[in-house]
Amino acid sequence: MPLLFVLLFLSSYVRTAFSAHCSTTTPTKTFEKCMALPTQQASMAWTFHAHNATLDLVFFGTFISPSGWVGWGINPSSAEMTGTRALVAFPDPNSGLLVLLPFILDPTVKLQKSPPLSRPLDIQLLSSSATLYGGKMATIHNGAAVQIYATFKLVKNKTKIHLVWNRGLYVQGYSPAIHPTTSSDLSSFATIDVLYGFSAAHKDDTRTLKTVHGILNAVSWGILLPIGAVTARYLRHMQALGPAWFYAHAGIQLSALFIGTVGFAIGIRLGELSPGVVYGLHRKLGFAAFSFGALQTLALLFRPKTTNKFRKYWKSYHHFVGYACVVLGVVNVFQGLEVMGESRSYAKLGYCLCLSTLIGACIALEVNSWVVFCRKSKEEKLRRERLIGGGSDKDSGSHG
């Protein structure tokens, strides 16, 4: 089951990675290089003129609402929204025609203290324009493609740019409203080298870390940990196994905790690599599951002997913390799939199949346990009745 999930997760990851494409040709211009951007099915094409450090660039984006907006920009200092010099395209509230306005995204925009107001950019923007795919007859609708052109004068001998892009559902007057806050929308930035045409390794490393984090935690907290709990619940009553059930249970749980710890550490690192991007619920569930897992491990060091009077309290604690850890782990796997934008992917389907198989096995084992319990109870009852009946006959014979 873990292998099936990993294969489906990787197939989903590969499918997503290669689903985007780019083009160097537009109806009005041809560019030298192009690149598919990692989110929102966006892409860009550009020509860099090294002799005068001029960059001709076009951004390809799509609207998600007829009254929405699409924008992209360059951040002079870092790959983040705050500080970006942006060009935003949206339908004019009065005429409905496509307009393109410049914005400087200062910290007040991120904090939503006031709507962004259009103002001239403080970088060397030589020209800019925006057109809808399809020409003058095209209209803005959900899924409409837009091309935003710009020509910049870059700093000499500096060929790396921090590109930021996004899109929103509506516009307030001539101010774009806040964009959605899914994982894809919060990760819409990259560092591009316009001379060589590749993205900086930081973004690729982050994406790879997210995939590894997802696989490790799903396999450990979402699959192995429940299997370990099932092993303890249903195999301990099989006398033929002896103490083997305990070693199997402890081995599976310790393996799950080790793998989960690695995944947890990668998650902490991802948080450090993504300042300003916080997934509150996913983070809290992860810390809670890891804490319960650590408590379970510590409980093994203080496990009383079977004859100890505190053994029953230890067992109650062990069961409660263990099942709580399993529930938190499974819930957080689904939350993690939502965060990664895999809510309708083969990865989620594979995990659901694994979980369904495990639940089906639990139901079958539970029914079997009750059948065995009822049979033993019935046999015990008959045995007691025979003993009582035999004792009464003896008493009657002695009295006679």
Side-chain angles (χ1 to χ4, degrees):
M1 287 194 298
L3 180 60
L4 172 65
F5 170 75
V6 170
L7 290 175
L8 287 172
F9 195 102
L10 288 175
S11 68
S12 175
Y13 171 71
V14 171
R15 177 175 54 83
T16 303
F18 289 98
S19 61
H21 62 279
C22 68
S23 173
T24 58
T25 305
T26 69
T28 59
K29 204 167 187 179
T30 300
F31 297 86
E32 290 182 356
K33 297 181 177 66
C34 72
M35 174 182 291
L37 299 173
T39 64
Q40 300 179 352
Q41 296 179 327
S43 62
M44 59 177 284
W46 72 94
T47 299
F48 179 62
H49 307 282
H51 64 281
N52 60 0
T54 302
L55 177 66
D56 293 325
L57 191 149
V58 60
F59 171 82
F60 301 89
T62 53
F63 285 91
I64 55 174
S65 167
S67 57
W69 57 269
V70 176
W72 73 273
I74 291 177
N75 191 319
S77 56
S78 60
E80 61 177 336
M81 185 185 80
T82 303
T84 297
R85 277 59 174 171
L87 296 171
V88 182
F90 54 88
D92 189 295
N94 299 317
S95 65
L97 298 176
L98 186 68
V99 297
L100 181 70
L101 293 179
F103 293 86
I104 297 178
L105 306 182
D106 55 36
T108 60
V109 175
K110 187 173 183 178
L111 297 173
Q112 302 179 48
K113 290 183 176 180
S114 60
L117 299 176
S118 177
R119 50 177 166 160
L121 303 183
D122 56 359
I123 58 177
Q124 296 189 54
L125 175 64
L126 305 181
S127 64
S128 63
S129 62
T131 60
L132 290 172
Y133 181 79
K136 296 181 179 180
M137 300 300 293
T139 58
I140 299 176
H141 58 274
N142 185 10
V146 64
Q147 300 164 359
I148 303 177
Y149 298 84
T151 300
F152 292 94
K153 181 83 171 179
L154 300 183
V155 178
K156 199 170 183 179
N157 298 324
K158 187 177 181 181
T159 59
K160 286 186 178 181
I161 61 171
H162 304 298
L163 193 74
V164 181
W165 64 97
N166 227 305
R167 54 192 181 181
L169 291 169
Y170 62 96
V171 178
Q172 296 175 324
Y174 287 89
S175 298
I178 185 173
H179 59 74
T181 55
T182 65
S183 172
S184 173
D185 298 299
L186 295 174
S187 304
S188 296
F189 54 85
T191 301
I192 314 295
D193 192 309
V194 297
L195 187 60
Y196 300 104
F198 61 83
S199 177
H202 169 77
K203 185 66 184 177
D204 295 334
D205 290 345
T206 302
R207 190 175 182 184
T208 302
L209 281 176
K210 282 184 178 179
T211 304
V212 175
H213 169 75
I215 291 175
L216 291 180
N217 284 331
V219 170
S220 58
W221 303 105
I223 297 177
L224 289 179
L225 209 66
I227 289 176
V230 170
T231 301
R233 177 170 177 80
Y234 298 109
L235 298 188
R236 64 185 302 174
H237 301 294
M238 298 182 181
Q239 297 179 355
L241 294 177
W245 72 267
F246 173 78
Y247 297 117
H249 167 68
I252 293 172
Q253 300 301 70
L254 289 175
S255 300
L257 184 63
F258 175 76
I259 298 172
T261 301
V262 176
F264 179 79
I266 293 175
I268 298 296
R269 179 58 180 162
L270 283 170
E272 295 174 353
L273 293 174
S274 307
V277 180
V278 179
Y279 305 107
L281 180 59
H282 183 59
R283 184 183 180 90
K284 291 173 184 176
L285 289 173
F287 271 100
F290 181 77
S291 299
F292 280 150
L295 287 173
Q296 282 291 74
T297 306
L298 290 174
L300 291 175
L301 302 177
F302 303 100
R303 182 169 174 253
K305 295 181 179 180
T306 54
T307 56
N308 193 301
K309 64 178 181 179
F310 294 107
R311 174 76 175 201
K312 60 180 180 180
Y313 302 111
W314 182 90
K315 286 181 66 176
S316 299
Y317 157 84
H318 187 65
H319 289 165
F320 172 77
V321 174
Y323 287 125
C325 190
V326 169
V327 172
L328 287 172
V330 171
V331 171
N332 208 26
V333 169
F334 284 105
Q335 182 64 24
L337 289 169
E338 292 287 337
V339 165
M340 293 186 69
E342 302 286 343
S343 57
R344 295 184 178 181
S345 66
Y346 288 117
K348 186 173 183 179
L349 175 62
Y351 181 67
C352 288
L353 288 174
C354 292
L355 203 60
S356 300
T357 303
L358 187 60
I359 292 173
C362 288
I363 293 173
L365 290 169
E366 189 70 31
V367 170
N368 180 69
S369 297
W370 277 102
V371 169
V372 172
F373 174 76
C374 292
R375 184 184 301 162
K376 287 184 176 180
S377 298
K378 189 175 181 180
E379 291 175 353
E380 183 66 22
K381 183 179 179 182
L382 290 173
R383 189 176 65 84
R384 286 200 306 267
E385 288 178 351
R386 287 173 184 168
L387 288 174
I388 294 172
S392 299
D393 292 340
K394 289 180 180 178
D395 291 341
S396 299
S398 301
H399 181 70

